[in-house]
Amino acid sequence: MQETILILDFGSQYTQLIARRVRELNVYCEIHPYNSFPEVNNHIKGVILSGSPFSVRDAKFPVPDLSEIKSKIPLLGVCYGAQFLAKDLGGEVLPSKIREYGRANLSFIDTSNKLMKGMSDGCQVWMSHGDTIQTIPDNFEIISSTNDVKVAGYQIQGESTYGIQFHPEVYHTTEGMVLLKNFVVDICGCHQSWTPQSFIETTINDLKKKLGNDKVVLGLSGGVDSSVTAVLLDKAIGENLHCIFVDNGLLRKHEFESVLDSYEHMGLNVVGVDSKDRFYKSLEGITDPEEKRKAIGNTFIEVFDEEAHRIQDVLWLAQGTIYPDVIESKSVKGPSATIKSHHNVGGLPDYMKLKIVEPLNTLFKDEVRKIGRNLKMDTNLLKRHPFPGPGLGIRILGEITPQRVHILQEADYIYIEGLKKFELYDKVWQAGVILLSVQSVGVMGDERTYEDVVALRAVGSTDGMTADWSQLPYDFLAKISNEIINKVKGVNRVVYDISSKPPATIEWE
């Protein structure tokens, strides 16, 4: 069994970041809600309690059952986790007398302690809490302090149980990885053997055992996740993998032909399906964003089902689901409010009667790219920006028509090719053009025009959960604006979106 660090989630915005840092140490970890986690067994080497938006002083604060964990395997409480352990065992947690948010420095470090080994006097840490541990039980030993926080870190004597009131997972804690390595490797005894190559070998062997000679169908999108899924399955079951790439008429310019060509060069068993007219017909007269998503999703299911039925005896549906999707589905926060329907196929209807296989459902996006690199996949494909399942359909505000799709494809092509030419494409997480539902007055030559407005969007992010707008050079934006207006008939105004997520989303619909 794979050595695992278990992370119990109390709803912190940083929980996924803890997981990413542990995995950077080549140690596998899983996030589970504090009130619903797997039985602790020999392959779980340690447990980390995350921070939380809750306070241990709240009337109904989150209380995990640690009876099979504490004092039996190594345990590290971070922020809320540290405060919970202290309070639960007889200490006192009170509102902080001063705000404890942002940068601080450790004024005392017990470097003889295993958790703090190798950390430097005065090193910077990141605080983010409104409470503080005022007193600790007699069997607690203070192992770090700041000038304002006496109990910045502690260990329970005689146990591998620790608590820290700062966040080691954020970049602002300059030696956070030292502390996490101390816990995960030295204290928990993990061997740092979870590498891209080990994942590939294990996954291919597991797929061979799971699927045998069964046939699998996979809907390709041209994106990183479905492409890496396809290559792993191809290595496991070869010709028994049947890939379907649907042209919904909402792809980027030349995308259907170029992506289909790249898949065929990869040796994949793939069929391209031109369904543009069918999708356009399903979208006639629809302007509501959610209704557009549903129309696109339902039409995809119909097309995909028809194509899948052309293949005899298919038993499995493969999906490129990745770990953030899994975490969201079992979030400690409960069912999420529907902001918008999922970009991807998600679940297909019961009548398809297919079992699901998801080889990437333990990986973050950057890990998927690492797997792809180890599989020697095309770098251009692996670096491709995320692209929503409904495609340009959610980048056209208002009704979708073939003419409006053409306008957006032309503008988007100029923008994306420009980013590549100016060596900016790899510096942003995601970029695209949005066709607005308003028209504006302009002047071309001696004539007044009344034509479409497009918005350029570019954001920086790690995993899409949060994103900042990219500060692209003014001369680049000027050139792209000029080229779009001159070359794309029907557009007379270009604007640049400088909204971050949150409060905005990356896509406009």
Side-chain angles (χ1 to χ4, degrees):
M1 294 289 287
Q2 177 70 54
E3 291 181 341
T4 302
I5 296 295
L6 188 62
I7 300 172
L8 301 191
D9 179 24
F10 294 87
S12 169
Q13 61 179 324
Y14 297 136
T15 302
Q16 287 196 34
L17 196 51
I18 297 174
R20 298 174 72 86
R21 296 291 172 261
V22 172
R23 291 185 177 196
E24 285 176 19
L25 296 168
N26 294 328
V27 174
Y28 180 68
C29 63
E30 292 181 358
I31 297 172
H32 291 271
Y34 75 91
N35 54 1
S36 176
F37 55 88
E39 181 180 343
V40 175
N41 51 37
N42 290 336
H43 75 275
I44 294 180
K45 299 299 182 182
V47 175
I48 297 176
L49 308 181
S50 82
S52 177
F54 297 101
S55 164
V56 295
R57 299 180 299 103
D58 291 344
K60 293 184 178 180
F61 62 92
V63 178
D65 179 3
L66 302 177
S67 56
E68 296 301 315
I69 297 173
K70 186 186 166 298
S71 79
K72 298 177 181 178
I73 60 174
L75 176 63
L76 172 64
V78 175
C79 198
Y80 176 89
Q83 293 167 1
F84 167 77
L85 289 171
K87 178 181 173 64
D88 189 55
L89 297 169
E92 188 176 27
V93 177
L94 297 174
S96 304
K97 293 181 180 178
I98 61 171
R99 287 173 58 84
E100 292 173 350
Y101 295 96
R103 295 173 178 83
N105 298 91
L106 295 181
S107 56
F108 162 70
I109 301 173
D110 179 1
T111 53
S112 67
N113 186 275
K114 280 189 175 182
L115 187 68
M116 310 304 292
K117 183 183 69 176
M119 296 189 72
S120 309
D121 288 339
C123 66
Q124 179 178 287
V125 296
W126 184 261
M127 295 287 187
S128 181
H129 56 93
D131 296 337
T132 195
I133 300 170
Q134 192 66 33
T135 60
I136 53 177
D138 292 340
N139 63 335
F140 278 44
E141 177 185 354
I142 296 174
I143 59 175
S144 66
S145 307
T146 71
N147 289 331
D148 297 315
V149 181
K150 183 178 180 181
V151 189
Y154 63 74
Q155 179 182 1
I156 299 179
Q157 295 171 2
E159 296 182 19
S160 294
T161 301
Y162 304 83
I164 51 175
Q165 289 203 85
F166 54 90
H167 288 270
E169 69 274 18
V170 302
Y171 287 114
H172 305 296
T173 298
T174 53
E175 297 181 7
M177 287 298 285
V178 176
L179 185 148
L180 287 173
K181 185 178 180 182
N182 288 342
F183 179 72
V184 168
V185 178
D186 296 343
I187 296 170
C188 297
C190 294
H191 290 89
Q192 297 183 277
S193 58
W194 195 70
T195 63
Q197 193 56 43
S198 71
F199 174 87
I200 291 168
E201 292 169 3
T202 300
T203 300
I204 290 173
N205 287 333
D206 288 347
L207 288 170
K208 287 178 177 178
K209 292 175 186 176
K210 184 174 188 175
L211 302 174
N213 291 318
D214 293 351
K215 291 183 180 179
V216 179
V217 64
L218 167 64
L220 290 170
S221 68
V224 175
D225 302 334
S226 68
S227 300
V228 173
T229 298
V231 173
L232 286 170
L233 283 163
D234 181 64
K235 289 184 177 296
I237 62 173
E239 287 296 310
N240 278 338
L241 171 65
H242 296 262
C243 301
I244 299 170
F245 183 37
V246 177
D247 185 356
N248 59 9
L250 303 168
L251 301 174
R252 284 175 157 152
K253 184 178 179 180
H254 302 318
E255 187 170 28
F256 182 66
E257 297 81 8
S258 63
V259 171
L260 194 59
D261 181 66
S262 68
Y263 282 142
E264 290 172 347
H265 277 86
M266 290 161 63
L268 294 177
N269 183 17
V270 58
V271 172
V273 183
D274 183 350
S275 298
K276 291 193 291 289
D277 293 340
R278 188 165 173 176
F279 278 87
Y280 292 151
K281 185 170 180 59
S282 74
L283 288 163
E284 285 179 1
I286 298 175
T287 59
D288 178 79
E290 189 65 12
E291 291 302 313
K292 283 197 284 188
R293 286 177 177 273
K294 288 177 180 177
I296 294 166
N298 291 337
T299 306
F300 178 87
I301 288 170
E302 291 171 4
V303 172
F304 190 84
D305 186 40
E306 290 171 10
E307 293 301 320
H309 273 95
R310 300 182 195 277
I311 308 163
Q312 292 186 347
D313 303 321
V314 172
L315 297 178
W316 295 86
L317 168 70
Q319 295 188 151
T321 307
I322 61 175
Y323 198 39
D325 302 326
V326 176
I327 295 169
E328 184 66 24
S329 70
K330 61 180 182 181
S331 171
V332 68
K333 301 171 188 174
S336 300
T338 300
I339 298 173
K340 55 192 175 185
S341 299
H342 198 278
H343 288 325
N344 302 315
V345 180
L348 293 180
D350 292 339
Y351 63 74
M352 290 193 71
K353 305 297 182 188
L354 297 176
K355 294 179 282 186
I356 304 294
V357 57
E358 299 171 318
L360 305 180
N361 66 0
T362 61
L363 301 182
F364 290 101
K365 176 72 79 172
D366 56 330
E367 293 172 331
V368 175
R369 288 194 168 101
K370 288 179 183 177
I371 299 301
R373 285 195 290 272
N374 274 260
L375 288 167
K376 311 298 183 187
M377 292 174 62
D378 182 8
T379 301
N380 290 328
L381 190 152
L382 294 176
K383 288 183 176 181
R384 185 176 184 264
H385 289 175
F387 190 62
L392 300 180
I394 58 169
R395 293 181 179 175
I396 296 174
L397 276 57
E399 186 176 2
I400 297 169
T401 65
Q403 180 185 6
R404 300 194 79 208
V405 171
H406 175 73
I407 289 172
L408 181 54
Q409 284 177 331
E410 294 298 322
D412 183 82
Y413 186 78
I414 291 170
Y415 182 38
I416 298 301
E417 291 303 305
L419 286 168
K420 293 175 180 177
K421 182 179 178 181
F422 278 71
E423 298 183 347
L424 295 168
Y425 185 84
D426 294 338
K427 296 179 181 179
V428 302
W429 162 266
Q430 188 170 345
V433 178
I434 297 89
L435 178 60
L436 305 191
S437 57
V438 296
Q439 293 186 311
S440 72
V441 174
V443 177
M444 290 188 175
D446 295 326
E447 297 182 4
R448 184 176 291 263
T449 63
Y450 191 62
E451 295 182 329
D452 289 318
V453 181
V454 297
L456 309 182
R457 181 76 158 136
V459 298
S461 181
T462 302
D463 51 21
M465 304 295 286
T466 60
D468 291 324
W469 63 277
S470 298
Q471 299 187 35
L472 298 178
Y474 288 154
D475 58 344
F476 168 77
L477 292 173
K479 178 176 176 57
I480 295 301
S481 172
N482 186 60
E483 191 170 349
I484 288 174
I485 291 171
N486 284 335
K487 292 185 177 180
V488 183
K489 188 175 181 180
V491 175
N492 69 355
R493 191 178 298 269
V494 176
V495 299
Y496 187 56
D497 181 352
I498 60 170
S499 311
S500 295
K501 175 187 179 181
T505 55
I506 296 175
E507 301 295 342
W508 278 42
E509 289 191 341

